[in-house]
């Protein structure tokens, strides 16, 4: 009886929710630091897992102008379309919008004595970079990403 009541309660709570393709909760990839170290390069691990930053103007992805998709280097989550990439002049690959609402997660970052918005991969929690309010139209946002945290696949 208790199990049936619990099931009915859960079903009634969930019936109020509807998910569209962009709203579906993303898959989750969880690994230990040792497991990440086995599949990531030292530079990728430093950025994605230790919240590091690559040096400006060092990523080959900054120079990509082909049509395609940028993916998380750790879990292959699609992050950004080349259609939203722009040259910010900062030395990091920059985009004005993620590929989908649930592709990235914004969190407050208060390190180094400043307040910024950190951008994480929603699938593996990897650090990608930061987002700023000085980007182009239509969003006015600049997703300033570490190239080492991503891969690119040409379409």
């Amino acid at each position: 009886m208790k199990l049936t009541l619990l099931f009915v309660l859960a079903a009634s709570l969930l019936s109020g929710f509807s998910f569209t393709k962009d709203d579906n909760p993303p898959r989750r990839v969880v690994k230990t630091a040792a497991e990440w170290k086995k599949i990531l390069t030292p530079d990728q691990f430093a950025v994605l897992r230790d919240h590091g930053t690559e040096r400006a103007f060092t990523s080959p992805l900054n120079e990509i102008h082909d049509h395609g998709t940028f993916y998380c280097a750790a879990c292959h989550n699609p992050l950004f379309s080349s259609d939203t990439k722009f040259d910010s002049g900062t030395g990091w690959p920059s985009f004005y919008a993620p590929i989908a609402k649930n592709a990235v997660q914004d969190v407050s970052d208060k390190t180094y004595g400043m307040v910024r918005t950190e951008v994480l991969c929603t699938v593996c929690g990897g650090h990608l970079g930061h987002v700023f309010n000085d980007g182009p139209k239509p969003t006015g946002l600049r997703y300033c990403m570490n190239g080492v945290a991503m891969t690119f696949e040409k379409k």
Side-chain angles (χ1 to χ4, degrees):
M1 177 70 174
K2 287 181 183 178
L3 185 57
T4 303
L5 183 58
L6 183 60
F7 177 75
V8 170
L9 180 59
S12 66
L13 286 172
L14 291 175
S15 67
F17 295 101
S18 65
F19 292 107
T20 64
K21 181 180 177 205
D22 285 344
D23 294 333
N24 285 333
R27 65 186 168 90
R28 297 292 300 155
V29 173
V30 179
K31 297 182 183 299
T32 65
E35 290 171 320
W36 284 122
K37 283 183 179 181
K38 286 181 182 177
I39 62 171
L40 299 173
T41 68
D43 288 341
Q44 288 172 328
F45 185 87
V47 170
L48 285 159
R49 308 317 308 168
D50 284 340
H51 302 264
T53 302
E54 69 186 357
R55 288 179 310 142
F57 299 101
T58 60
S59 173
L61 296 187
N62 199 36
E63 301 304 319
I64 290 193
H65 303 290
D66 296 323
H67 183 68
T69 303
F70 293 83
Y71 293 87
C72 176
C75 67
H76 204 65
N77 180 34
L79 301 170
F80 299 96
S81 166
S82 60
D83 295 338
T84 64
K85 188 173 187 283
F86 68 98
D87 184 3
S88 65
T90 62
W92 289 280
S94 297
F95 307 85
Y96 62 78
I99 202 163
K101 287 189 299 185
N102 66 356
V104 298
Q105 176 186 10
D106 297 349
V107 297
S108 180
D109 176 3
K110 297 179 182 175
T111 58
Y112 305 112
M114 59 184 123
V115 178
R116 300 178 291 173
T117 302
E118 180 181 16
V119 179
L120 304 175
C121 173
T122 56
V123 173
C124 70
H127 169 77
L128 302 169
H130 292 85
V131 62
F132 303 95
N133 291 320
D134 60 0
K137 292 180 180 182
T139 65
L141 298 174
R142 173 175 51 96
Y143 285 84
C144 189
M145 303 292 97
N146 288 285
V148 72
M150 300 184 296
T151 60
F152 177 76
E153 291 182 17
K154 188 176 176 177
K155 292 217 174 167

